[in-house]
Amino acid sequence: MSSLKADFNELMERVRTGREFASASFEPIFYLVFRPEQILEVKRQLPAWEAKLKNDGWFVHHFSIATAIQEIFAAMPPFIKKTWEQQDSAAPLQWQKTNNSLAEALTKKNTLQNKLEAVLSELESNPKNILLVTDIEALHPYLRIGSIESQLQGKFHVPTVFFYPGTRTGKTRLKFLGFYPEDGNYRSVHVGG
């Protein structure tokens, strides 16, 4: 089993060299895949990895899925928040209903996707920018990052690294958090897992 440090170093080598040059639809999308029980270790390693990237000449930017979700929920109109609270109080064990309402807030009008797209657009002017997308586990149980990645096809102009808690089941197939059904709809380079 490879270590997180070795996986990160391999990932950065792939970022430097790009994907296979024969690929006409290359977008610099990379996933560092790690076991879900390594989430805290990845968070501990992140400052060192960021320093390494800066030393290698990259301008490092972050997009935290957890922060973006929190911002979206905080920006909801008060009457919607109150409705959520009332519905949750009336039926506290109806998790699926609650989760569906929260997922709708993230996906309606592509709210979460638009936040990531705005950052990608802002960074595209400098090829030395790199975007680290963290806290992907916060998408559970609302949606998976693969659906956002596919909707943003053609928008990735700077290297974008997704820190993905899950398992790899093939060259392009991933299982989010290790228990979701495997998904092969990724157009990215995967390292680790």
Side-chain angles (χ1 to χ4, degrees):
M1 184 177 294
S2 60
S3 71
L4 283 172
K5 183 178 179 181
D7 288 344
F8 181 79
N9 289 337
E10 178 185 342
L11 179 99
M12 290 322 304
E13 186 57 36
R14 293 205 185 183
V15 168
R16 277 190 287 280
T17 59
R19 284 200 355 212
E20 297 122 36
F21 294 111
S23 176
S25 63
F26 168 70
E27 287 191 88
I29 307 167
F30 304 87
Y31 279 62
L32 180 63
V33 182
F34 53 90
R35 293 184 324 274
E37 58 269 20
Q38 293 178 297
I39 290 172
L40 290 177
E41 184 58 29
V42 168
K43 291 182 188 314
R44 283 187 204 103
Q45 292 293 325
L46 206 51
W49 292 338
E50 182 177 340
K52 181 175 175 37
L53 288 166
K54 287 178 180 177
N55 287 338
D56 288 345
W58 293 99
F59 298 105
V60 180
H61 304 271
H62 291 268
F63 183 86
S64 165
I65 295 288
T67 300
I69 288 172
Q70 185 177 20
E71 289 169 356
I72 291 166
F73 289 161
M76 295 305 291
F79 77 91
I80 290 179
K81 289 184 203 175
K82 186 173 178 126
T83 301
W84 286 346
E85 290 171 5
Q86 288 172 342
Q87 288 176 344
D88 191 46
S89 294
L93 298 178
Q94 296 294 321
W95 290 106
Q96 189 61 39
K97 198 172 183 181
T98 301
N99 289 339
N100 289 343
S101 294
L102 296 173
E104 184 181 339
L106 298 176
T107 58
K108 190 173 185 178
K109 299 181 184 173
N110 299 320
T111 311
L112 182 58
Q113 174 185 317
N114 291 343
K115 281 182 151 310
L116 179 55
E117 184 176 352
V119 172
L120 289 167
S121 178
E122 187 178 303
L123 299 179
E124 73 180 50
S125 63
N126 185 345
K128 291 305 285 180
N129 283 333
I130 188 167
L131 180 62
L132 306 180
V133 181
T134 60
D135 306 318
I136 292 176
E137 61 276 6
L139 290 173
H140 171 70
Y142 313 120
L143 64 150
R144 297 192 310 202
I145 196 66
S147 62
I148 294 173
E149 177 195 326
S150 67
Q151 293 297 315
L152 291 175
Q153 186 176 3
K155 308 284 184 172
F156 293 92
H157 301 290
V158 297
T160 304
V161 177
F162 291 92
F163 290 85
Y164 187 93
T167 53
R168 206 161 98 175
T169 59
K171 187 172 181 174
T172 61
R173 300 184 77 76
L174 299 173
K175 288 179 77 169
F176 182 47
L177 296 173
F179 62 82
Y180 274 87
E182 66 181 21
D183 183 6
N185 292 324
Y186 295 92
R187 296 167 179 83
S188 44
V189 173
H190 303 153
V191 175

